[in-house]
Amino acid sequence: MNPLASALTQNIAFFAIASLYVWIGARRVAGSAPFPGPRPPPLWFKVWLVVIWLVGLLWPAVTLAWAIGADADVNIVIGLGAYLVMMFAQVGTEIFVWKRWRSAIWVIVPCLYLPWRLWQCWWGYDLAGVDESGFATATYVALIVLWIINIGVHFTNVPLTLRWDHHPRDATFKALHHPIALMPDAHDPLE
């Protein structure tokens, strides 16, 4: 299979499967208290988001523009193009789930997409070839390091992001079939 067909097949299949998981998850918590979204992040997290946008979006976009303008190997264009399209698919899915559905399932979107993004970077790096372009190689290495670190940051931040204690006291989560005790003085039905 040629690289373009492979990129299209892989990414369309992933997007369909990830969207199905998000939809199933959203149906499981349908009728529960609306998720207010992530809390205002601390300063270190805001700095980290800037790093993500600079290294994870701007740098690959510049490399892609360079590869197109320099008539570089088409495989660099395919790999980085697929990467950027899927990054926008993730952001679009996150915004839709958070703003439209107001669902706590928002937090699993990066859990699905971050490992995929890491796979995409490795696939693109392998596709471009180590000796093809120092600039493209440096871009892929930076992306692989960035997404490995970001997977850890995201997964260790999930409990803080959800912060169930910030939901209304009488919130019920239909998928769990009982009210959740959210305040220290509330009776926990499981006790």
Side-chain angles (χ1 to χ4, degrees), residues 16-189:
I17 292 166
S19 296
L20 178 64
Y21 282 141
V22 168
W23 181 80
I24 290 169
R27 299 291 58 91
R28 297 255 314 133
V29 297
S32 61
F35 181 63
R39 301 295 173 274
L43 179 61
W44 72 266
F45 195 75
K46 290 177 183 178
V47 170
W48 179 244
L49 287 176
V50 170
V51 170
I52 287 174
W53 289 110
L54 291 176
V55 177
L57 180 64
L58 187 60
W59 188 350
V62 168
T63 304
L64 179 62
W66 164 83
I68 291 169
D71 291 327
D73 187 349
V74 71
N75 291 337
I76 295 171
V77 174
I78 291 169
L80 288 173
Y83 164 86
L84 289 169
V85 166
M86 291 308 289
M87 186 163 184
F88 285 113
Q90 175 187 345
V91 171
T93 302
E94 286 181 24
I95 290 170
F96 179 83
V97 172
W98 174 26
K99 297 287 190 177
R100 173 79 179 198
W101 287 349
R102 296 197 33 112
S103 174
I105 296 304
W106 166 85
V107 80
I108 73 161
V109 174
C111 294
L112 294 167
Y113 278 86
L114 291 176
W116 180 254
R117 184 161 304 114
L118 187 59
W119 159 251
Q120 281 188 303
C121 292
W122 186 258
W123 181 81
Y125 175 81
D126 190 46
L127 182 66
V130 177
D131 297 329
E132 287 295 325
S133 161
F135 189 40
T137 299
T139 301
Y140 279 116
V141 169
L143 289 172
I144 290 168
V145 170
L146 174 76
W147 296 120
I148 287 172
I149 293 169
N150 197 48
I151 287 169
V153 168
H154 178 74
F155 287 166
T156 58
N157 200 42
V158 167
L160 182 62
T161 302
L162 290 176
R163 294 298 309 265
W164 297 114
D165 56 314
H166 286 276
H167 285 279
R169 184 174 184 176
D170 61 345
T172 56
F173 291 85
K174 187 175 160 184
L176 299 176
H177 305 295
H178 62 64
I180 298 294
L182 299 173
M183 302 299 238
D185 59 338
H187 174 67
D188 184 351

